[in-house]
Amino acid sequence: MSPYAYFLLPEAILLVMIVLLVIVELFLPPKHARFWMAWLALGAVVAALGSLFYLWVLWHQLFQGDPLLFWQGAYLFDSFGAGFKSLLLMALIYVLLYLLGSKEQKETTLYYPLLLTAGLGAMIMVSTFEGITILIGLEMFSIATYVLLILAQRSSSAKHFTWRAVLSSGVGTAVICYGFSFLYGITGSTHLLEITNQLPKIPGDYLLYLYLSAFLLIAGFALKSAWIPFHNWFHALAKPTFSPFTLFWMTGSQIVLFGTLLRFLLWGYQPLWQKETLVLAIQVLLMVISLASIFWGHWQAYRQQSVKQLLLYLGMGQWGFVFMPMAFFHLSQGDFFIQAIFFALVVYLLVMSGAYTIVSLVTERAGTEEIRALAGLGQQAPGLALAFTLFLLSVAGFPLTAGFIGRFLILSSNLVSFEGLVVTALAMLTTLLAIAACFRLIRQMYLRPQADSRAPIFTWPLAFAWLMSLVATFVLAFIPDLLLQLLSQINW
Amino acid sequence: MIWLFLRFDPQKSGYQFEQSFLWFHWRFSPVKEWFIHYHVGVDGLSLLLILLTTILVLCAVIMGFALQKGVKAFYQLFLLLFTSLLGLFLSLNLFLFYVCLQIAVSTSYFLIISRGSLDRERAAQHYLLYHSAGAMFLFFAILILFVQTGSLEYILLEGRISLLFAQSANETWIVFVCLLAAFLLFLPVVPFHRWAIQVQTEGHPLWTMLFVGILLQIGSYGLVRFVLGWFPEQSHQLEWLLILFGLLNLLYGAICTLLQKELKRLIAYANICFVGLILLGIATFHLQGIKGAFWQWIVHGLAAAMLFLLIGSLAKRSSTTTVAQLGGLTKAMPAWSSFWLFGVLAVCGLPGFATFWPLLYTFQSWWLNHLWVALLMLVGLLMLFVALLRVALQITFGSTSIKQSITNTKLNGSEWGILTFFTVLIVMFGVMPEWLTSIMQTTLQSLLERIGGSI
């Protein structure tokens, strides 16, 4: 037993709660109400987040920010992993608040252990340098999300998309394993640090296989996360039945999968970033994914009639921005690009969760997901409308919003080469579409007459969720140093 | 504002009343740490615009007393717009300038859609998209400037761009072109001017008053402050482009003014002409010409705002603002007609009016340097004056076959007060031009020294 096993406390809290929830579900008679299980799950996630912060401070004191490896290197505690884990736990808090506030989903008790299992798998994924452990975490996360998806779909029309999603995600795992097998085959190790040591020594003949493995890994993660060009099931996520899953997928799931890919690229393939041919190939691929996401996401957002789909596509556009610095990180001096990515991810999580919560409140009231559901919100619920307006302005990158600061950091980290300059210019050009899409919603709220006189349904958990987002985005807009200084002190 | 105006020392070059706080910072690389400051201050250039902003906002707020519906939202938005405009002219950091600019744009958008005329949505959308396109160029320039120089402080960048960009001439040009494109879009120059006509026609008269008085000056302010002030060599090389856009705006605007049949559109196109005149003034790179452009900001802002105020007050009383349906207003509304004729004559720049001086300065400057520009300018101005005077006389002394229905023909107290105030200012600056000149002279000279212009 490692003396540092207590660094697994957040994971242990989630595990205990999963077991407890499954047992309670098994033995509690069906007639008893179960919505309190969501509170239990929420308590566990909050406790896990609290313990993670405590461990992070402790780890800083004990190890001065150096990565802590234990269990023969199978598990790891470092800033990168802790950062992604905290984002994931925050995303889980939003999803659980959403479940608590939304009347339909309260009694679907299986959601809670499944969500926690997905969260646990995701936490394992970003807490290791060991390829096998990453794959175990990935599978744990994937299987739980498959079941969540299947549980979420109730109508026959959703079935088609569910299976498409499960298939894409399953193929994604296979492609990731295949890509990783090349790395193992060439270096004889599954540990990323060992792979990093071995890579400079391998003969030139094997370089092609290395390129292939990198491409396969990126393709695999793209398949799992529905990044362009594998976004064929993206549209369906906005179906009403998928709501809690959609929120989890939009935020927690995307963030962790991105973090894992980043872990592979930054640590596993690190020595190869000196080789120009590989860099160019990967750079072009990442630039294309990034630009295509921004353009396609914003263009589709502009065209949507469903407000949830519009929000999803705006999210896709935002992902494009988060992706961008990855294409140029080999040219960056220092770790500013990670700080920029992290800042943008925090903003993305806060804004998307807040906006999605408000949209759910409004669409549930109106009984439709079309944009007209927002009509008259400015008069009926001015506070809600103002919050949603600020989230939209943040997505559009308007100043005095956290989204603007995030975009400023992301784009400035790109300007390290001529390609970065061109990509930045193109990305900025397409944001005009995002502005048009966001202001379409704003006009709907303030100019159109209200569709019905009922005020949006008020629930404390959802109100807390969007208020939390609003306050946090406001604070980050005016005092970005609060997060920036924390990020700059971290030894990534 | 009065305190600031009285304490300002016009003999002192550089910025006065400076205040600077660290807003946020981060480490870009192990050796580069970047700081963004909240840095404000004034010089002769910004002081006059701040003064104009305050005057116009005060007038708009007083006029807003007559509003019946949505008063709270109107004042909230208006004060936000006021704050952002002050921030924009006070800022000594390009980042802060951009932030204030975008707040002004989004607030204006909400003011147009909430209180404009029938086609206000389309007008607001076009306004937003054109401004966003301009803001994209500006933001891109800010990013490159920041990455290359590590600072967005005016004081650091003024006159040092060529040193800071020593290694990357291409990037200097990219930044310059982006800044130029951004501010030409904000001006606006022909052929990207449709949005300006639309918002002046569809916007609420109180906002429009502020738009023609202040928001329309942002483009030329940026052009002088950043494009000319920071990139003098590049500006000299593209001088022909400024002349081209200046003449295009003036001539095209004048022709369109001749064709207009509605009062708001008439003044909107006249404003396009004046944008051209400002551009021509800037393009001289000469003390007289640039002084003409500075003057034009202030005095045309006042005169155009006065005309929009009058159109707004006519629209409240009459069912129409179409020229053909108006006539003989001197009998129906004598006070209104007097102010209207005064406003039109002021816009035409008759001697004795403040607007006379910028026309004289700009014309004189071109007459001495490039005669052909001065002659084309003269043609444009003549067409504009004919168009304006023809309409002014038609609606005041002319007759109409259609009888317009005008209710409540007398001007109310606030209208009287504000219009008299505008009249006094226009005459005062016309008779005693040194009041304005003394404030801007030192700033102008230091700008010309920096850009290598002739005095």
Side-chain angles (χ1 to χ4, degrees):
Chain A
M1 187 74 181
S2 166
Y4 302 117
Y6 62 87
F7 274 92
L8 279 165
L9 186 61
E11 285 88 341
I13 292 172
L14 289 194
L15 185 63
V16 168
M17 189 48 68
I18 293 165
V19 174
L20 189 72
L21 288 174
V22 171
I23 292 172
V24 169
E25 173 62 30
L26 272 177
F27 291 100
L28 196 71
K31 61 182 178 183
H32 282 266
R34 281 164 155 79
F35 75 89
W36 51 269
M37 287 167 75
W39 285 107
L40 268 185
L42 183 64
V45 176
V46 172
L49 187 62
S51 64
L52 184 66
F53 279 127
Y54 168 72
L55 288 171
W56 190 74
V57 175
L58 189 73
W59 166 72
H60 248 279
Q61 285 169 356
L62 293 176
F63 301 97
Q64 285 80 43
D66 292 330
L68 166 68
L69 284 157
F70 53 100
W71 287 345
Q72 280 97 43
Y75 220 78
L76 161 79
F77 194 96
D78 67 345
S79 299
F80 185 86
F84 275 98
K85 280 196 279 193
S86 8
L87 288 177
L88 172 85
L89 290 171
M90 276 162 64
L92 278 176
I93 290 174
Y94 274 111
V95 178
L96 288 165
L97 283 172
Y98 182 90
L99 281 166
L100 276 164
S102 152
K103 60 177 180 189
E104 268 182 53
Q105 322 289 350
K106 262 182 203 158
E107 296 301 320
T108 319
T109 46
L110 269 175
Y111 275 146
Y112 313 128
L114 280 168
L115 263 176
L116 295 191
T117 310
L120 182 62
M123 283 171 86
I124 294 171
M125 236 161 40
V126 288
S127 309
T128 179
F129 278 144
E130 175 55 56
I132 301 295
T133 319
I134 292 178
L135 292 175
I136 289 170
L138 189 68
E139 272 311 279
M140 195 169 171
F141 162 80
S142 302
I143 291 167
T145 48
Y146 299 157
V147 185
L148 268 174
L149 247 179
I150 292 163
L151 270 181
Q153 59 98 8
R154 289 180 198 149
S155 65
S156 55
S157 64
K159 214 173 270 177
H160 168 70
F161 291 109
T162 309
W163 287 112
R164 203 190 270 190
V166 170
L167 201 68
S168 292
S169 193
V171 171
T173 311
V175 173
I176 290 170
C177 288
Y178 190 47
F180 191 65
S181 69
F182 281 104
L183 263 188
Y184 173 65
I186 294 166
T187 60
S189 174
T190 54
H191 198 276
L192 294 185
L193 291 184
E194 186 53 32
I195 291 171
T196 308
N197 288 334
Q198 292 296 323
L199 279 183
K201 299 171 197 162
I202 61 153
D205 306 352
Y206 290 113
L207 271 180
L208 186 67
Y209 297 103
L210 277 176
Y211 298 171
L212 193 61
S213 77
F215 274 104
L216 286 170
L217 271 173
I218 294 172
F221 279 99
L223 269 163
K224 286 194 89 67
S225 316
W227 291 332
I228 283 181
F230 306 109
H231 57 289
N232 57 357
W233 53 283
F234 190 86
H235 205 70
L237 278 165
K239 298 273 179 234
T241 49
F242 292 140
S243 285
F245 175 78
T246 308
L247 183 57
F248 177 66
W249 180 86
M250 258 170 87
T251 54
S253 165
Q254 290 276 346
I255 288 170
V256 170
L257 286 168
F258 176 73
T260 313
L261 176 62
L262 211 56
R263 177 81 91 188
F264 269 113
L265 292 179
L266 291 185
W267 276 272
Y269 291 88
Q270 193 198 27
L272 295 184
W273 293 113
Q274 316 304 325
K275 297 191 188 298
E276 241 168 62
T277 43
L278 176 78
V279 169
L280 191 69
I282 303 268
Q283 194 183 13
V284 169
L285 183 68
L286 292 173
M287 278 192 312
V288 168
I289 293 179
S290 159
L291 275 181
S293 301
I294 295 174
F295 175 71
W296 188 249
H298 290 159
W299 169 241
Q300 286 296 321
Y302 181 65
R303 292 182 60 224
Q304 292 312 307
Q305 287 307 318
S306 153
V307 64
K308 277 191 180 170
Q309 275 166 358
L310 194 153
L311 207 60
L312 263 173
Y313 278 109
L314 280 177
M316 185 195 254
Q318 297 301 299
W319 262 107
F321 278 106
V322 175
F323 237 95
M324 282 177 99
M326 275 176 65
F328 307 102
F329 72 83
H330 58 286
L331 299 170
S332 306
Q333 299 162 336
D335 50 21
F336 173 63
F337 75 96
I338 300 190
Q339 294 174 39
I341 286 177
F342 248 93
F343 194 96
L345 282 177
V346 171
V347 175
Y348 172 83
L349 174 66
L350 293 171
V351 169
M352 281 298 155
S353 306
Y356 194 82
T357 319
I358 292 177
V359 162
S360 300
L361 276 172
V362 176
T363 50
E364 210 167 291
R365 181 271 317 247
T368 173
E369 298 222 332
E370 284 186 26
I371 288 176
R372 66 186 156 88
L374 288 167
L377 192 68
Q379 287 86 46
Q380 272 174 352
L384 209 61
L386 183 68
F388 193 52
T389 306
L390 285 173
F391 290 140
L392 288 172
L393 289 178
S394 191
V395 171
F398 265 72
L400 282 198
T401 62
F404 170 66
I405 305 282
R407 195 165 291 178
F408 184 71
L409 297 174
I410 286 277
L411 294 178
S412 59
S413 74
N414 289 342
L415 298 182
V416 283
S417 67
F418 181 71
E419 293 84 8
L421 208 73
V422 175
V423 168
T424 305
L426 289 173
M428 283 171 64
L429 212 62
T430 54
T431 51
L432 282 178
L433 288 168
I435 292 171
C438 288
F439 275 85
R440 206 171 134 216
L441 295 183
I442 291 172
R443 278 202 304 278
Q444 198 65 222
M445 282 190 290
Y446 292 102
L447 284 189
R448 302 288 172 262
Q450 55 198 64
D452 62 60
S453 55
R454 283 175 298 157
I457 300 151
F458 178 85
T459 58
W460 276 110
L462 288 186
F464 181 72
W466 70 258
L467 268 172
M468 191 165 71
S469 281
L470 187 67
V471 171
T473 42
F474 225 72
V475 170
L476 284 183
F478 284 92
I479 325 168
D481 257 359
L482 279 181
L483 183 59
L484 273 175
Q485 291 319 302
L486 178 75
L487 293 173
S488 67
Q489 281 160 19
I490 293 171
N491 177 16
W492 297 96
Chain B
M1 196 55 236
I2 295 167
W3 178 86
L4 190 74
F5 190 68
L6 293 175
R7 294 285 304 273
F8 182 79
D9 181 1
Q11 306 303 322
K12 235 167 126 179
S13 66
Y15 300 102
Q16 299 176 39
F17 307 105
E18 274 186 68
Q19 281 209 317
S20 178
F21 306 103
L22 179 65
W23 186 357
F24 62 97
H25 70 293
W26 70 95
R27 196 174 285 280
F28 183 67
S29 73
V31 289
K32 268 191 205 168
E33 190 154 14
W34 285 349
F35 299 90
I36 297 280
H37 286 90
Y38 167 85
H39 189 182
V40 289
V42 283
D43 63 356
L45 198 73
S46 49
L47 181 73
L48 289 172
L49 286 166
I50 292 164
L51 198 65
L52 182 64
T53 310
T54 315
I55 290 171
L56 292 180
V57 169
L58 185 70
C59 295
V61 166
I62 294 170
M63 292 299 293
F65 291 164
L67 291 174
Q68 305 285 329
K69 267 169 61 186
V71 180
K72 198 172 118 190
F74 171 78
Y75 279 119
Q76 282 170 344
L77 287 170
F78 224 77
L79 289 179
L80 187 60
L81 179 60
F82 179 43
T83 315
S84 58
L85 286 173
L86 285 186
L88 191 143
F89 294 124
L90 282 170
S91 64
L92 297 182
N93 182 299
L94 194 54
F95 189 85
L96 186 63
F97 174 88
Y98 179 80
V99 168
C100 293
L101 175 77
Q102 286 288 73
I103 297 171
V105 169
S106 41
T107 319
S108 293
Y109 173 85
F110 285 112
L111 277 166
I112 300 168
I113 59 164
S114 60
R115 303 201 74 92
S117 315
L118 272 178
D119 207 15
R120 60 185 189 269
E121 262 190 72
R122 205 154 56 135
Q125 213 167 337
H126 283 178
Y127 172 77
L128 183 77
L129 284 178
Y130 273 99
H131 263 80
S132 300
M136 293 289 146
F137 281 112
L138 181 60
F139 191 49
F140 192 53
I142 288 176
L143 282 170
I144 303 175
L145 259 176
F146 200 37
V147 173
Q148 288 297 323
T149 65
S151 174
L152 293 171
E153 293 287 316
Y154 294 2
I155 296 164
L156 194 84
L157 294 172
E158 276 167 357
R160 292 184 56 197
I161 289 283
S162 51
L163 287 175
L164 294 166
F165 275 90
Q167 303 299 318
S168 44
N170 285 342
E171 282 173 359
T172 319
W173 269 99
I174 293 174
V175 176
F176 168 73
V177 169
C178 285
L179 285 174
L180 184 67
F183 291 113
L184 287 180
L185 277 172
F186 293 149
L187 262 170
V189 290
V190 174
F192 309 105
H193 65 289
R194 287 282 299 276
W195 64 269
I197 306 296
Q198 280 176 323
V199 293
Q200 287 176 72
T201 318
E202 304 298 334
H204 187 270
L206 295 183
W207 176 81
T208 318
M209 194 177 94
L210 207 62
F211 174 78
V212 295
I214 290 296
L215 287 154
L216 261 184
Q217 325 297 354
I218 294 174
S220 46
Y221 173 78
L223 215 55
V224 172
R225 176 77 83 193
F226 310 117
V227 179
L228 219 67
W230 294 2
F231 299 88
E233 289 166 33
Q234 289 79 5
S235 302
H236 271 293
Q237 287 183 47
L238 285 189
E239 186 187 347
W240 59 270
L241 192 70
L242 296 180
I243 300 172
L244 181 75
F245 276 126
L247 285 174
L248 196 62
N249 263 46
L250 179 61
L251 295 170
Y252 178 82
I255 293 167
C256 289
T257 314
L258 274 171
L259 300 173
Q260 293 316 306
K261 294 181 172 70
E262 200 272 335
L263 288 181
K264 284 183 190 170
R265 290 180 69 83
L266 178 93
I267 305 300
Y269 273 108
N271 287 333
I272 296 292
C273 290
F274 282 93
V275 166
L277 280 173
I278 292 174
L279 262 179
L280 284 173
I282 294 169
T284 56
F285 288 88
H286 186 268
L287 180 69
Q288 287 295 83
I290 296 180
K291 193 158 73 179
F294 279 27
W295 262 87
Q296 200 73 260
W297 288 350
I298 311 299
V299 294
H300 179 72
L302 279 173
M306 184 179 175
L307 285 180
F308 264 101
L309 192 69
L310 284 162
I311 295 173
S313 103
L314 177 69
K316 260 195 311 189
R317 293 167 169 86
S318 158
S319 51
T320 180
T321 50
T322 308
V323 177
Q325 294 178 355
L326 292 164
L329 286 178
T330 38
K331 282 182 192 150
M333 299 172 73
W336 186 92
S337 301
S338 310
F339 282 120
W340 172 257
L341 282 172
F342 177 88
V344 170
L345 291 177
V347 167
C348 291
L350 248 65
F353 291 89
T355 39
F356 167 71
W357 299 107
L359 292 183
L360 180 74
Y361 293 145
T362 315
F363 185 75
Q364 188 188 15
S365 191
W366 281 116
W367 185 267
L368 296 172
N369 294 303
H370 296 286
L371 189 61
W372 63 273
V373 179
L375 290 175
L376 283 173
M377 196 178 136
L378 202 62
V379 172
L381 281 173
L382 280 174
M383 282 198 287
L384 175 69
F385 297 161
V386 167
L388 286 173
L389 289 171
R390 190 172 57 102
V391 171
L393 292 173
Q394 152 71 24
I395 64 169
T396 48
F397 292 104
S399 60
T400 175
S401 52
I402 304 160
K403 192 169 166 56
Q404 70 267 18
S405 55
I406 297 174
T407 52
N408 189 15
T409 53
K410 285 185 179 168
L411 295 179
N412 60 33
S414 53
E415 283 169 333
W416 261 105
I418 290 166
L419 289 168
T420 312
F421 181 57
F422 277 139
T423 311
V424 170
L425 282 180
I426 291 171
V427 173
M428 191 178 76
F429 291 140
V431 179
M432 290 176 283
E434 65 277 5
W435 279 26
L436 271 184
T437 315
S438 63
I439 296 171
M440 63 173 80
Q441 192 71 19
T442 313
T443 308
L444 251 174
Q445 276 174 349
S446 62
L447 174 76
L448 280 160
E449 277 165 26
R450 217 169 47 233
I451 66 173
S454 51
I455 296 178

